[in-house]
Amino acid sequence: MTDKDSDASSAPERKRGSGVKMVYDLLRDEILDLVLPPGSPIDEVQLAERFKMSRTPIREALVRLAGEGLIATLPNRSTMVSNIDFLNLHTFFDALVLMYRVTTRLAAEHHRQEDLEVIRARQAEFAAAVQAQDALAMIATNAAFHSAIAEAGRNPYFTGLFNRLLDEGRRILRLYYQSYDDRLPQRFVDEHEDMIAVIAARDVEAADRLARTHAEQIVEQIQKLFARKDRLEIAL
């Protein structure tokens, strides 16, 4: 086989691989951003028509999404967007608060000057998203800000876990921002600035304290969303 023949035979494989990634990335974003709400049906035929490709790359993308728990196959073999496990959110919140604290502490201890430049750049992007009241941009730039802090802590295991939590929490954060009508209070931008200041000052204990407060108020606001506001009144 000539080099030319080899290149020709590998081209369809590269094209299919890029197709799988495109479908995966787009559906994943739509699920995490609640464009496709929990419980939405996923139809391979409709997706193949939408993306103008065969069902094989569609199916491969769906397998990846299923592996991440974002879609589920029902006993009748139909597929839908996975529901949010509200009953076990407390375990997610425990891990999230801990990672906010650990990564911010480590950033205060181990950051380099170039890390601060990246963190400040991510903060400027978050502030711009808040000003624009762009909820999806707020979620993305907030994750990028805290991911930059985690990178500055120089523990790739914590960084990987935190990024996973931030990613998995996008659906929850979308509900969180909706509770503010996508008008996030300025204090959240200010809290980020305070965190940057204590990281730059290498004040580990203050970094821990601010990160914990920042994370816990997010958790408390989300928990309020699911608390019943009405109560059954019965005269006894």
Side-chain angles (χ1 to χ4, degrees), residues 11-222:
E13 185 64 30
R14 287 198 300 271
K15 184 176 181 180
R16 192 182 79 175
S18 63
V20 172
K21 186 177 187 307
M22 180 190 72
V23 174
Y24 165 80
D25 287 342
L26 187 55
L27 290 180
R28 187 171 183 274
D29 282 343
E30 290 182 350
I31 291 170
L32 292 174
D33 294 332
L34 297 181
V35 175
L36 288 174
S40 298
I42 301 293
D43 186 281
E44 286 185 18
V45 175
Q46 291 180 356
L47 290 174
E49 292 175 354
R50 173 185 174 186
F51 292 107
K52 295 179 172 55
M53 61 179 64
S54 72
R55 291 172 63 178
T56 299
I58 300 294
R59 193 173 294 116
E60 291 182 21
L62 295 181
V63 167
R64 290 183 62 182
L65 292 168
E68 296 181 10
L70 293 176
I71 65 173
T73 301
L74 303 179
N76 64 2
R77 301 187 65 80
S78 62
T79 305
M80 70 173 198
V81 176
S82 297
N83 289 313
I84 298 173
D85 187 3
F86 291 111
L87 291 178
N88 292 308
L89 272 183
H90 64 283
T91 59
F92 172 80
F93 290 147
D94 287 345
L96 185 68
V97 172
L98 181 61
M99 284 299 99
Y100 265 95
R101 294 177 59 195
V102 168
T103 55
T104 309
R105 282 183 67 98
L106 289 177
E109 187 173 358
H110 299 299
H111 74 268
R112 299 170 184 165
Q113 182 58 40
E114 57 265 30
D115 296 321
L116 293 178
E117 295 171 3
V118 174
I119 292 169
R120 289 183 176 119
R122 301 293 84 79
Q123 166 66 353
E125 293 165 357
F126 174 71
V130 172
Q131 181 67 30
Q133 297 178 10
D134 185 336
L136 299 185
M138 283 187 271
I139 293 170
T141 55
N142 177 72
F145 170 77
H146 288 290
S147 181
I149 289 177
E151 292 283 355
R154 292 191 155 64
N155 186 312
Y157 296 101
F158 286 142
T159 301
L161 175 57
F162 195 29
N163 284 338
R164 176 184 167 189
L165 291 169
L166 291 170
D167 215 17
E168 291 183 3
R170 277 169 61 178
R171 291 200 289 178
I172 303 299
L173 279 179
R174 187 68 192 93
L175 297 173
Y176 171 69
Y177 287 141
Q178 284 177 351
S179 72
Y180 290 104
D181 294 323
D182 293 343
R183 296 180 178 87
L184 206 61
Q186 177 64 30
R187 74 171 186 274
F188 295 110
V189 177
D190 297 338
E191 285 178 9
H192 279 189
E193 294 290 350
D194 293 340
M195 292 169 71
I196 294 172
V198 295
I199 289 171
R202 298 194 184 277
D203 190 336
V204 174
E205 295 306 319
D208 186 348
R209 184 175 63 255
L210 287 177
R212 180 171 189 165
T213 299
H214 185 67
E216 287 182 343
Q217 62 82 22
I218 294 174
V219 171
E220 289 170 5
Q221 178 68 13
I222 294 171

